[in-house]
Amino acid sequence: MGDTIRKGEMSRRVAEAMDCSNGEGEKALNAVLESVTNAMRAGDRIVLNGFGTFELAEVKARRVRPIRGASSGDLIKVPAHTRVRFRAGATLAQVARQ
């Protein structure tokens, strides 16, 4: 496994790929991330060919065993909720197989 890449390093890599300043790379990365966030907030499905698909998924309420440390031993209820689902596209999935 590789190192952890944080947002600052990713914006520097974007700047390098765009042949621009680090500040402009950060603006570009922030614009993409904000666009994805706003689209998800609106309930849109985002398809980035080759990279992957982001979409909201409804998770049904369910009962699960108590987690460690629970004293009663009763089943706990996980309420229905929405989560973000990401499915890797073909190009990204191929990287994982290498």
Side-chain angles (χ1 to χ4, degrees):
M1 288 281 162
D3 294 334
T4 299
I5 307 285
R6 301 202 186 278
K7 187 176 176 186
E9 174 61 24
M10 187 58 68
S11 67
R12 281 190 287 282
R13 291 180 183 202
V14 169
E16 185 178 306
M18 293 177 56
D19 194 28
C20 63
S21 71
N22 287 343
E24 290 172 326
E26 184 177 4
K27 281 183 182 179
L29 179 59
N30 285 337
V32 170
L33 296 176
E34 185 177 337
S35 296
V36 170
T37 300
N38 290 338
M40 296 301 297
R41 191 174 285 128
D44 296 335
R45 182 172 179 247
I46 302 161
V47 179
L48 304 172
N49 290 334
F51 183 76
T53 302
F54 295 90
E55 60 189 339
L56 295 177
E58 298 293 327
V59 179
K60 295 179 182 177
R62 63 188 188 277
R63 293 196 177 273
V64 296
R65 291 185 309 210
I67 58 175
R68 263 187 243 178
S71 58
S72 68
D74 294 334
L75 291 178
I76 59 172
K77 185 175 181 180
V78 175
H81 58 281
T82 303
R83 68 174 183 86
V84 175
R85 177 184 301 160
F86 175 76
R87 291 187 185 143
T91 304
L92 188 60
Q94 184 177 13
V95 170
R97 288 191 291 266
Q98 293 178 353

